[in-house]
Amino acid sequence: TRVIDPASEQPISLAQAAKVLGRSHPTIYRYSTSGVRGVQLETVRLGKQRLTCMAAIQRFLDRLSE
């Protein structure tokens, strides 16, 4: 699993990512754990919360469209 760098990328919650992508929170969680067609959404775990960033979402979408 690829991990975002919270020091250089602005982290957002998976709930916020779900709103951006127009998907449900469980779907975004699945994107980060199981992936889609072998591509996983990059995340970082901070305590009990899993975070991603807009750049990671863009990389995820770019890899899916290749």
Side-chain angles (χ1 to χ4, degrees):
T1 302
R2 301 177 89 179
V3 178
I4 69 165
D5 179 11
S8 65
E9 299 174 312
Q10 180 63 43
I12 62 172
S13 70
L14 294 188
Q16 290 169 309
K19 288 180 183 176
V20 168
L21 291 173
R23 301 283 188 253
S24 69
H25 182 272
T27 297
I28 302 303
Y29 180 79
R30 254 189 327 276
Y31 289 171
S32 71
T33 56
S34 302
V36 177
R37 297 191 313 263
V39 178
Q40 285 182 299
L41 176 63
E42 299 168 37
T43 60
V44 64
R45 194 159 174 150
L46 215 56
K48 292 184 177 183
Q49 190 172 26
R50 190 179 296 264
L51 305 170
T52 190
C53 67
M54 292 304 296
I57 291 170
Q58 188 60 55
R59 290 190 294 268
F60 175 74
L61 296 173
D62 289 345
R63 288 193 305 267
L64 283 178
S65 65
E66 289 178 347

